[in-house]
Structure formats: structure tokens, C-alpha cells
């Protein structure tokens, strides 16, 4: 058992999950503000692995592994998280208006499953406040690639959803290395309905236009994040739409509303109430969705694999299935600050033992025939 395992099992697990997150994130942010601590943390947790460098959406990254949206909702700890080795950091989800999210408690550990259940409800400071924060930080040369994930304000009627996303895009696109349209959280009523292609097409088109007229010196890559609970034909429809619109990427997947396969008792899970499950139970379905997407789009759309990634084997399997980038969140909670270092080392070992020279060569190698 590692030091972090002992700390987690004996101390952190006894602290309410959202409060534990706040305390741990506070330590990460503090380390980033102290020069001596910053250098020590980076040396300990983020040794370079130049052989893992990748290019995605035209962006060069030191490796393929990033922190998924949801951990840093308000762009307050980007540089501290980079000290822990994350190759990119996706902030958000950010909404057009500030909102408190759902009532607490709203974040729960399913320890036996190495999973989380959340119904946070897009709690965030709103896109205007986050834009000010990102402007103050600036887009830093040599810093981590920063993705900005945007979603719908709960109080905004569905008929005004497109305008709400556009507002956030106009405020945030200039500070984003890439922009993500989140239509897949289960915790905002009606949000997943936007994944239907007849509603998704005008939404993505409007956000693309907003980013283009706001940022004229470069093209901001645009991605969409989808749910693991889509039917196969709906996954195909989103894939075809992404190709049609020239979308830069698809993130597969968000959390699931399914409770299948959990070892935690059904009664205990039911007592926690509604929410999306992330972590190890999502691994197989997220991989299946990713594989299906790659067989549909090939290398025409960049894919990001997320959901149930804990180990280097998990990340390697996503790359072989078609992911150029991989992301995690729940694994960070259970594995601690050395997680990314361990994963990078394992990926470097798997690449060295493989027939592939670079990670780009390995992308989609096990996915089957790429469609014409």
C-alpha cells in the first residue's frame, strides 16, 4: 500500500467527498504559488517523456494524457495541475450564467467500485467571471494546453440554449486552446436531448461561428462531448455530423446513468440518489463507444478517450482503439498525485515494447479497417 493509499483509506475517505476535493485542490493551488514548492513538485511528479509527445487539433502537447473537465470548474488551478504532469487541462463545465449547482451532498465515492457518483449540476462562476480569470492568467507559452468546456445554464429555457452556449463561446474562445460543447451531462434537465443531430447541428454551427468571429488570429478547435448511454445508431449519427461540419474532435465519454455492473449494493447506490457514475465501471462502455466512433470517422476527426481510465494499460487500449488523447478524473481521486507520473512511465514502456515508433503510429491500430 502506498503512502497515498494509506492516507486515502484512513483519512480522506472519512471526509465528505466535495470537502476533500476542495482541501486537496487547495494544496495543489498553494504549491503552484510558491517557487520552491513549484520546482519540487514538478521534479517529483512530472518528469519529461519526450517520446510521448503528440499533436492534436494542430496543438503540440508533451504527452497524450489530460485532466478531464469537472475537476477545475472555474480555471483556478491550471498551473498547479500541470505541475502534477497533466499534458492538458480541460476546465469547466462553464455556463453562460453563474449557478450554484444542485443541493449538497452531490458528490459520492463508490469505493468498492473505484468510482464516483455526482450530480454537481454545473456549479460554476459563469463564463464572464471565468473569462476575466483566464484573461488575467493569459495564454502562456510553454504552459499546459487548456481546453474550455461549456454547457447550458440550467435556468435558460431549452429554446434559448443555443444563445446561451454562444454567449459563453464569445467570452471564452479567445482564451481556449480548444473549446468543448458539453451536451452529455445527466445532471442538467434536458441537456442530453441536445445530442440529437437535428438539435446538435445548429448548436455546433452557432458555436463555431461565434468562435470564428471572436478570434480572428487563429482557428479555435471545436469538440463535442457525448454520453456513453447513446444507442449505437445515435453514436453513428454524431460521428457523421462531426465529419459533415468539419468538427475537430469528439470526446467519448461523459458519465453514465447506468448502474449496471456495480459491486456496491443496489440499496446503497439507490440511497445516494440520482447522478452520473464515473470511474472504473465506465471503462468497457467508453472503450466500446470510442472504438465505434473510430471505425466510423477514422482519422478525419480527432478522438479523445475518457471514462474508467486508471492505468497505463487502460490508456494504451484507448490509443490502440483510436484515441489521440486520453483523459481522466476519477482515477486521480483514487491514485493520488503520483498517478500521472506512473501512467506516463507505463505508456512509455508500452510504446517501447510495441512495433510503433510514436504514439501517433499506434492510434487506431487495433480498431479494424478505417472507412473510406
Amino acid at each position: 500500500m502506498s503512502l497515498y493509499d494509506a492516507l486515502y483509506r484512513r483519512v480522506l475517505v472519512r471526509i465528505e467527498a466535495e470537502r476533500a476535493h476542495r482541501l486537496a485542490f487547495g494544496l495543489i493551488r498553494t504549491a503552484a504559488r510558491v517557487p520552491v514548492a513549484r520546482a519540487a513538485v514538478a521534479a517529483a511528479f512530472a518528469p519529461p517523456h519526450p517520446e510521448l509527445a503528440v499533436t492534436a487539433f494542430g496543438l503540440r502537447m508533451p504527452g497524450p494524457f489530460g485532466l478531464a473537465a469537472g475537476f477545475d470548474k472555474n480555471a483556478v488551478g491550471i498551473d498547479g495541475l500541470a505541475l502534477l504532469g497533466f499534458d492538458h487541462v480541460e476546465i469547466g463545465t462553464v455556463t453562460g450564467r453563474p449557478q450554484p449547482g444542485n443541493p449538497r451532498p452531490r458528490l459520492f465515492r463508490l469505493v468498492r467500485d473505484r468510482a464516483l457518483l455526482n450530480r454537481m449540476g454545473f456549479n460554476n462562476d459563469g463564463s464572464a467571471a471565468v473569462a476575466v480569470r483566464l484573461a488575467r492568467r493569459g495564454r502562456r507559452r510553454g504552459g499546459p494546453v487548456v481546453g474550455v468546456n461549456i454547457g447550458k445554464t440550467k435556468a435558460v429555457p431549452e429554446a434559448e440554449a443555443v444563445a446561451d452556449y454562444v454567449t459563453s463561446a464569445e467570452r471564452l474562445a479567445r482564451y481556449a486552446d480548444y473549446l468543448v460543447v458539453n451536451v452529455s451531462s445527466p445532471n442538467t434537465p434536458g441537456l442530453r436531448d441536445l445530442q440529437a443531430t437535428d438539435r446538435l447541428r445548429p448548436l455546433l454551427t452557432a458555436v463555431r461561428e461565434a468562435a470564428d468571429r471572436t478570434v480572428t488570429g487563429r482557428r479555435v478547435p471545436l469538440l463535442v462531448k457525448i454520453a456513453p448511454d447513446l444507442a449505437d445508431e445515435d453514436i453513428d449519427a454524431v460521428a457523421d455530423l462531426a465529419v459533415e461540419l468539419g468538427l475537430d474532435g469528439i470526446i467519448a465519454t461523459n458519465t453514465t446513468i447506468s448502474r449496471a455492473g456495480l459491486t456496491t449494493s443496489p440499496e446503497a447506490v439507490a440511497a445516494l440518489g440520482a447522478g452520473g457514475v464515473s470511474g472504473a465501471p465506465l471503462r468497457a462502455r467508453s472503450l466500446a463507444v470510442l472504438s465505434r466512433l473510430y471505425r466510423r470517422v477514422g482519422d478525419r476527426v480527432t478522438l479523445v478517450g475518457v471514462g474508467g481510465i486508471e492505468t497505463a494499460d487502460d490508456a494504451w487500449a484507448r490509443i490502440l482503439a483510436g484515441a489521440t488523447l486520453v483523459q481522466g478524473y476519477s482515477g486521480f481521486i483514487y491514485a493520488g498525485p503520483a498517478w500521472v507520473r506512473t501512467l506516463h512511465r507505463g505508456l512509455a514502456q508500452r510504446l517501447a515494447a510495441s512495433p510503433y515508433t510514436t504514439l501517433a503510429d499506434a492510434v487506431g491500430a487495433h480498431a479494424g479497417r478505417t472507412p473510406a
Side-chain angles (χ1 to χ4, degrees), residues 54-92:
V54 297
T55 298
F57 336 119
L59 303 170
R60 189 67 173 169
M61 305 187 199
F65 193 67
L67 182 62
F71 192 95
D72 186 359
K73 294 177 180 294
N74 292 304
V76 296
I78 294 168
D79 297 301
L81 292 163
L83 294 178
L84 295 179
F86 288 104
D87 300 310
H88 64 277
V89 175
E90 191 171 307
I91 63 114

Side-chain angles (χ1 to χ4, degrees), residues 307-320:
I309 294 177
E310 289 191 281
T311 67
D313 281 334
D314 296 330
W316 184 240
R318 302 301 167 95
I319 291 167
L320 294 175

Side-chain angles (χ1 to χ4, degrees), residues 107-159:
L107 178 64
F108 308 92
R109 308 176 186 92
L110 303 178
V111 178
R112 292 178 60 188
D113 292 288
R114 295 184 70 81
L116 300 174
L117 187 154
N118 93 82
R119 52 172 174 274
M120 303 298 287
F122 289 169
N123 54 305
N124 74 104
D125 295 340
S127 56
V130 173
V132 169
R133 197 168 290 132
L134 288 171
R136 191 179 301 127
R137 176 182 177 273
R139 295 182 68 242
R140 301 178 183 178
R141 179 180 291 274
V145 166
V146 177
V148 178
N149 184 303
I150 60 175
K152 187 183 87 68
T153 306
K154 183 177 181 179
V156 168
E158 290 185 37

Side-chain angles (χ1 to χ4, degrees), residues 27-274:
L27 289 174
I28 294 169
R29 294 162 59 191
T30 299
R33 291 193 291 266
V34 180
V36 174
R38 190 164 58 236
V41 170
F45 297 115
H49 285 280
E51 68 274 33
L52 297 181
V54 297
T55 298
F57 336 119
L59 303 170
R60 189 67 173 169
M61 305 187 199
F65 193 67
L67 182 62
F71 192 95
D72 186 359
K73 294 177 180 294
N74 292 304
V76 296
I78 294 168
D79 297 301
L81 292 163
L83 294 178
L84 295 179
F86 288 104
D87 300 310
H88 64 277
V89 175
E90 191 171 307
I91 63 114
T93 295
V94 184
T95 54
R97 305 177 193 174
Q99 57 185 26
N102 291 320
R104 298 181 184 179
R106 55 194 180 182
L107 178 64
F108 308 92
R109 308 176 186 92
L110 303 178
V111 178
R112 292 178 60 188
D113 292 288
R114 295 184 70 81
L116 300 174
L117 187 154
N118 93 82
R119 52 172 174 274
M120 303 298 287
F122 289 169
N123 54 305
N124 74 104
D125 295 340
S127 56
V130 173
V132 169
R133 197 168 290 132
L134 288 171
R136 191 179 301 127
R137 176 182 177 273
R139 295 182 68 242
R140 301 178 183 178
R141 179 180 291 274
V145 166
V146 177
V148 178
N149 184 303
I150 60 175
K152 187 183 87 68
T153 306
K154 183 177 181 179
V156 168
E158 290 185 37
E160 300 172 18
V162 171
D164 190 55
Y165 278 94
V166 165
T167 294
S168 292
E170 290 173 339
R171 290 170 175 167
L172 296 168
R174 73 192 68 208
Y175 311 112
D177 291 311
Y178 68 88
L179 196 62
V180 182
V181 171
N182 185 352
V183 287
S184 50
S185 170
N187 301 315
T188 296
L191 185 75
R192 287 190 167 193
D193 295 341
L194 296 174
Q195 292 176 113
T197 54
D198 61 332
R199 302 189 66 184
L200 189 57
R201 179 181 286 102
L203 170 59
L204 293 174
T205 299
V207 172
R208 174 76 272 163
E209 291 172 352
D212 288 344
R213 67 173 171 267
T214 304
V215 185
T216 57
R218 62 186 176 95
R219 184 181 187 277
V220 181
L222 180 63
L223 293 75
V224 65
K225 187 169 186 175
I226 65 171
D229 308 309
L230 288 175
D232 286 348
E233 56 268 25
D234 294 324
I235 295 170
D236 293 344
V238 171
D240 294 345
L241 179 64
V243 173
E244 173 194 330
L245 297 181
L247 211 62
D248 297 277
I250 303 173
I251 301 180
T253 63
N254 213 316
T255 59
T256 180
I257 58 174
S258 171
R259 303 297 187 257
L262 296 177
T263 57
T264 305
S265 73
E267 295 78 15
V269 176
L272 299 177

Side-chain angles (χ1 to χ4, degrees), residues 309-368:
I309 294 177
E310 289 191 281
T311 67
D313 281 334
D314 296 330
W316 184 240
R318 302 301 167 95
I319 291 167
L320 294 175
T324 298
L325 301 178
V326 288
Q327 295 179 339
Y329 176 166
S330 300
F332 188 25
I333 306 304
Y334 285 100
W339 182 45
V340 182
R341 182 188 65 195
T342 302
L343 196 144
H344 275 150
R345 184 168 59 238
L347 270 181
Q349 291 168 350
R350 282 150 185 78
L351 178 62
S354 78
Y356 313 112
T357 304
T358 67
L359 285 182
D361 297 332
V363 171
H366 289 186

